[in-house]
């Protein structure tokens, strides 16, 4: 292992959950979605991914799609032009001001605050693709790339603004989004792509998203921190502020780190100039440090899911509400056929 890899491995382990709680029960059955070529003893097993990453048959001739297939992500530098980006920034500023001044009890579901901030620091605002970021969600060039990856028309499974505030934006543990989407939402396969638009310049020191390239080709079966079989009711009310379930243990992270397609093991996949767009696979292992800098790291996320991969009943736990996991038939159709709505 090189010195660079050793540095990254030591730092990666700092973003793992404490292991004092009993890890003795499974979250999902061993015969669920991904169960081939098990590499560790159940319930801590790692399995190879049986499904494609890029679903198109002829992607080998496309350099961007080959890179995405191998590494699980693709950065599109300064994808959104400055004038449009300025409009997005202004719209977000107005939305935040409106939430601060006029938030009602009904609005609280859509807004998540940083833990320990007593409701003073916003972390997430959900379901933004139906109004202020509708134009972004239907960007033709963006949709063309996503459809090429998934070989399907797509709808938005979830959208949110992530505000990683200067000095106050907290860290996020290592996790794969698909693990939660499968168990809690009932997403059948990892046939989904996340899009992250950088609204600020993002560096390693203001909370850039980190990823383990190549980790998307493995499924890390995770157990919950309490050793409870299944997911407690309304788990999302806690996990959106601080992850509890679906976080891997040290052995799992060490394994996929050593299998990384990057010589560094870990990359700052979400670092770049404002206006840049990051696309990453639903099953890519990622995390971020706290933002202790004087610069914010604001971003818009859209999760594009293949129409054929629409949600089923969750295998365990409780299905999350529609603003976290789209189930409305009016929106489970090609996103550019949907109609913009006024925000509630």
């Amino acid at each position: 292992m090189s010195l660079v890899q050793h540095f990254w491995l030591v730092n990666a382990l700092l973003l793992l959950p404490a292991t004092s709680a009993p890890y003795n029960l499974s979250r999902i059955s061993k015969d669920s979605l991904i169960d081939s070529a098990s590499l560790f003893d159940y319930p801590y097993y790692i399995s190879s991914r049986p499904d494609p990453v890029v679903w198109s048959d002829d992607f080998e001739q496309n350099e961007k799609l080959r890179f995405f297939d191998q590494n699980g992500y693709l950065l599109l530098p300064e994808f959104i032009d400055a004038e449009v980006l300025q409009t997005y920034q202004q719209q977000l500023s107005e939305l935040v001001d409106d939430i601060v001044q006029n938030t009602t009890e009904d609005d609280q579901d859509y807004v998540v605050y940083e833990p320990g901030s007593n409701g003073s620091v916003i972390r997430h605002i959900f379901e933004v693709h139906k109004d202020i970021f509708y134009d972004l969600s239907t960007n033709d060039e963006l949709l063309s790339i996503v459809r090429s990856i998934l070989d399907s028309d797509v709808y938005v499974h979830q959208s949110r603004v992530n505000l990683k505030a200067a000095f106050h934006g907290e860290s996020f543990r290592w996790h794969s989004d698909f693990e939660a989407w499968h168990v809690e939402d009932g997403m059948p396969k990892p046939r989904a792509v996340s899009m992250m638009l950088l609204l600020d310049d993002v560096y390693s020191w203001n909370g850039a998203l980190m990823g383990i390239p190549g980790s998307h080709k493995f499924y890390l079966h995770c157990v919950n921190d309490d050793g409870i079989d299944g997911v407690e009711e309304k788990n999302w009310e806690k996990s959106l502020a601080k992850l509890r379930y679906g976080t891997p243990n040290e052995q799992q992270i060490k394994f996929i780190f050593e299998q990384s397609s990057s010589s560094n093991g870990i990359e700052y996949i979400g670092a770049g100039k404002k206006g840049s767009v990051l696309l990453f696979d639903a099953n890519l292992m990622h995390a971020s440090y706290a933002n202790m800098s004087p610069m914010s790291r604001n971003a818009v996320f859209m999760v594009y899911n293949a129409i054929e991969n629409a949600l089923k009943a969750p295998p365990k736990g409780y299905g999350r509400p529609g603003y976290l996991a789209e189930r409305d038939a009016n929106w489970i159709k090609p996103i550019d056929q949907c109609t913009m709505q006024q925000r509630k």
Side-chain angles (χ1 to χ4, degrees), residues 225-244:
D225 290 348
D226 297 327
I228 301 170
D229 191 8
V231 180
E232 68 184 49
E233 187 174 6
K234 294 188 177 181
N235 167 61
W236 63 84
E237 293 182 350
K238 300 175 182 177
S239 67
L240 293 174
K242 189 175 181 63
L243 282 176
R244 288 181 64 213

Tab-separated table of all heavy atoms in Angstrom, residues 225-244:
chain	number	residue	atom	x	y	z
A	225	ASP	N	-27.274	-0.026	13.936
A	225	ASP	CA	-26.446	0.190	15.121
A	225	ASP	C	-27.005	-0.472	16.377
A	225	ASP	O	-26.270	-0.711	17.335
A	225	ASP	CB	-26.282	1.687	15.389
A	225	ASP	CG	-25.410	2.353	14.338
A	225	ASP	OD1	-24.770	1.641	13.553
A	225	ASP	OD2	-25.369	3.586	14.317
A	226	ASP	N	-28.309	-0.738	16.396
A	226	ASP	CA	-28.923	-1.276	17.600
A	226	ASP	C	-29.058	-2.791	17.562
A	226	ASP	O	-29.524	-3.392	18.525
A	226	ASP	CB	-30.309	-0.668	17.805
A	226	ASP	CG	-30.230	0.834	18.026
A	226	ASP	OD1	-29.242	1.291	18.616
A	226	ASP	OD2	-31.166	1.517	17.609
A	227	GLY	N	-28.687	-3.423	16.447
A	227	GLY	CA	-28.875	-4.851	16.338
A	227	GLY	C	-30.324	-5.243	16.157
A	227	GLY	O	-30.707	-6.383	16.409
A	228	ILE	N	-31.164	-4.300	15.736
A	228	ILE	CA	-32.584	-4.581	15.535
A	228	ILE	C	-32.787	-5.048	14.103
A	228	ILE	O	-32.259	-4.471	13.168
A	228	ILE	CB	-33.436	-3.325	15.794
A	228	ILE	CG1	-33.221	-2.831	17.226
A	228	ILE	CG2	-34.908	-3.594	15.538
A	228	ILE	CD1	-33.825	-1.473	17.488
A	229	ASP	N	-33.572	-6.116	13.929
A	229	ASP	CA	-33.827	-6.635	12.592
A	229	ASP	C	-34.896	-5.771	11.936
A	229	ASP	O	-36.057	-5.824	12.276
A	229	ASP	CB	-34.308	-8.079	12.690
A	229	ASP	CG	-34.342	-8.748	11.328
A	229	ASP	OD1	-33.859	-8.143	10.356
A	229	ASP	OD2	-34.853	-9.865	11.252
A	230	GLY	N	-34.493	-4.955	10.967
A	230	GLY	CA	-35.434	-4.073	10.301
A	230	GLY	C	-35.149	-2.622	10.622
A	230	GLY	O	-34.168	-2.283	11.276
A	231	VAL	N	-36.025	-1.735	10.137
A	231	VAL	CA	-35.839	-0.302	10.299
A	231	VAL	C	-37.009	0.247	11.108
A	231	VAL	O	-38.165	-0.040	10.828
A	231	VAL	CB	-35.781	0.393	8.924
A	231	VAL	CG1	-35.585	1.893	9.093
A	231	VAL	CG2	-34.646	-0.196	8.105
A	232	GLU	N	-36.714	1.047	12.103
A	232	GLU	CA	-37.774	1.571	12.947
A	232	GLU	C	-38.653	2.562	12.187
A	232	GLU	O	-38.237	3.162	11.188
A	232	GLU	CB	-37.183	2.251	14.179
A	232	GLU	CG	-36.412	3.522	13.873
A	232	GLU	CD	-35.770	4.111	15.116
A	232	GLU	OE1	-35.113	3.356	15.862
A	232	GLU	OE2	-35.930	5.319	15.331
A	233	GLU	N	-39.867	2.733	12.653
A	233	GLU	CA	-40.809	3.642	12.005
A	233	GLU	C	-40.262	5.071	12.013
A	233	GLU	O	-39.697	5.540	12.996
A	233	GLU	CB	-42.156	3.605	12.724
A	233	GLU	CG	-43.238	4.401	12.019
A	233	GLU	CD	-44.596	4.230	12.676
A	233	GLU	OE1	-44.657	3.574	13.742
A	233	GLU	OE2	-45.577	4.741	12.120
A	234	LYS	N	-40.423	5.745	10.869
A	234	LYS	CA	-39.965	7.125	10.684
A	234	LYS	C	-38.469	7.276	10.981
A	234	LYS	O	-38.028	8.302	11.515
A	234	LYS	CB	-40.789	8.086	11.536
A	234	LYS	CG	-42.257	8.166	11.095
A	234	LYS	CD	-43.003	9.267	11.826
A	234	LYS	CE	-44.433	9.369	11.298
A	234	LYS	NZ	-45.195	10.458	11.961
A	235	ASN	N	-37.700	6.262	10.623
A	235	ASN	CA	-36.249	6.332	10.795
A	235	ASN	C	-35.660	7.543	10.100
A	235	ASN	O	-34.676	8.130	10.557
A	235	ASN	CB	-35.611	5.049	10.245
A	235	ASN	CG	-34.113	5.165	10.095
A	235	ASN	OD1	-33.408	5.380	11.069
A	235	ASN	ND2	-33.616	5.054	8.871
A	236	TRP	N	-36.259	7.945	8.968
A	236	TRP	CA	-35.712	9.044	8.176
A	236	TRP	C	-35.653	10.362	8.949
A	236	TRP	O	-34.837	11.228	8.639
A	236	TRP	CB	-36.535	9.229	6.904
A	236	TRP	CG	-37.966	9.620	7.130
A	236	TRP	CD1	-38.463	10.874	7.333
A	236	TRP	CD2	-39.088	8.744	7.196
A	236	TRP	NE1	-39.821	10.834	7.516
A	236	TRP	CE2	-40.243	9.548	7.442
A	236	TRP	CE3	-39.248	7.367	7.059
A	236	TRP	CZ2	-41.515	9.000	7.547
A	236	TRP	CZ3	-40.522	6.828	7.179
A	236	TRP	CH2	-41.637	7.633	7.416
A	237	GLU	N	-36.505	10.525	9.954
A	237	GLU	CA	-36.501	11.771	10.704
A	237	GLU	C	-35.177	11.965	11.447
A	237	GLU	O	-34.783	13.096	11.729
A	237	GLU	CB	-37.671	11.801	11.697
A	237	GLU	CG	-39.032	11.869	11.003
A	237	GLU	CD	-40.187	11.951	11.987
A	237	GLU	OE1	-39.940	11.766	13.205
A	237	GLU	OE2	-41.316	12.201	11.544
A	238	LYS	N	-34.485	10.854	11.748
A	238	LYS	CA	-33.183	10.934	12.403
A	238	LYS	C	-32.047	10.817	11.392
A	238	LYS	O	-31.060	11.547	11.460
A	238	LYS	CB	-33.048	9.822	13.453
A	238	LYS	CG	-34.085	9.862	14.553
A	238	LYS	CD	-33.951	8.648	15.466
A	238	LYS	CE	-35.008	8.633	16.543
A	238	LYS	NZ	-34.923	7.419	17.405
A	239	SER	N	-32.197	9.899	10.434
A	239	SER	CA	-31.083	9.574	9.545
A	239	SER	C	-30.733	10.700	8.583
A	239	SER	O	-29.597	10.794	8.139
A	239	SER	CB	-31.384	8.298	8.751
A	239	SER	OG	-32.448	8.506	7.842
A	240	LEU	N	-31.707	11.564	8.243
A	240	LEU	CA	-31.408	12.653	7.316
A	240	LEU	C	-30.500	13.695	7.952
A	240	LEU	O	-29.825	14.440	7.259
A	240	LEU	CB	-32.708	13.310	6.837
A	240	LEU	CG	-33.599	12.424	5.963
A	240	LEU	CD1	-34.909	13.123	5.671
A	240	LEU	CD2	-32.894	12.035	4.681
A	241	ALA	N	-30.498	13.750	9.280
A	241	ALA	CA	-29.601	14.665	9.979
A	241	ALA	C	-28.321	13.967	10.408
A	241	ALA	O	-27.240	14.547	10.369
A	241	ALA	CB	-30.300	15.256	11.209
A	242	LYS	N	-28.447	12.687	10.791
A	242	LYS	CA	-27.271	11.929	11.227
A	242	LYS	C	-27.516	10.456	10.942
A	242	LYS	O	-28.427	9.856	11.511
A	242	LYS	CB	-27.005	12.140	12.720
A	242	LYS	CG	-25.677	11.552	13.197
A	242	LYS	CD	-25.444	11.904	14.646
A	242	LYS	CE	-24.121	11.365	15.150
A	242	LYS	NZ	-22.963	11.936	14.459
A	243	LEU	N	-26.710	9.871	10.072
A	243	LEU	CA	-26.906	8.485	9.663
A	243	LEU	C	-26.749	7.531	10.845
A	243	LEU	O	-25.817	7.650	11.636
A	243	LEU	CB	-25.898	8.092	8.583
A	243	LEU	CG	-26.169	8.570	7.164
A	243	LEU	CD1	-25.011	8.153	6.269
A	243	LEU	CD2	-27.469	7.998	6.629
A	244	ARG	N	-27.687	6.559	10.934
A	244	ARG	CA	-27.558	5.483	11.919
A	244	ARG	C	-27.492	4.134	11.215
A	244	ARG	O	-26.656	3.300	11.506
A	244	ARG	CB	-28.739	5.500	12.889
A	244	ARG	CG	-28.733	6.635	13.880
A	244	ARG	CD	-29.952	6.528	14.799
A	244	ARG	NE	-29.898	5.318	15.601
A	244	ARG	CZ	-30.977	4.641	15.965
A	244	ARG	NH1	-32.172	5.029	15.553
A	244	ARG	NH2	-30.876	3.564	16.707
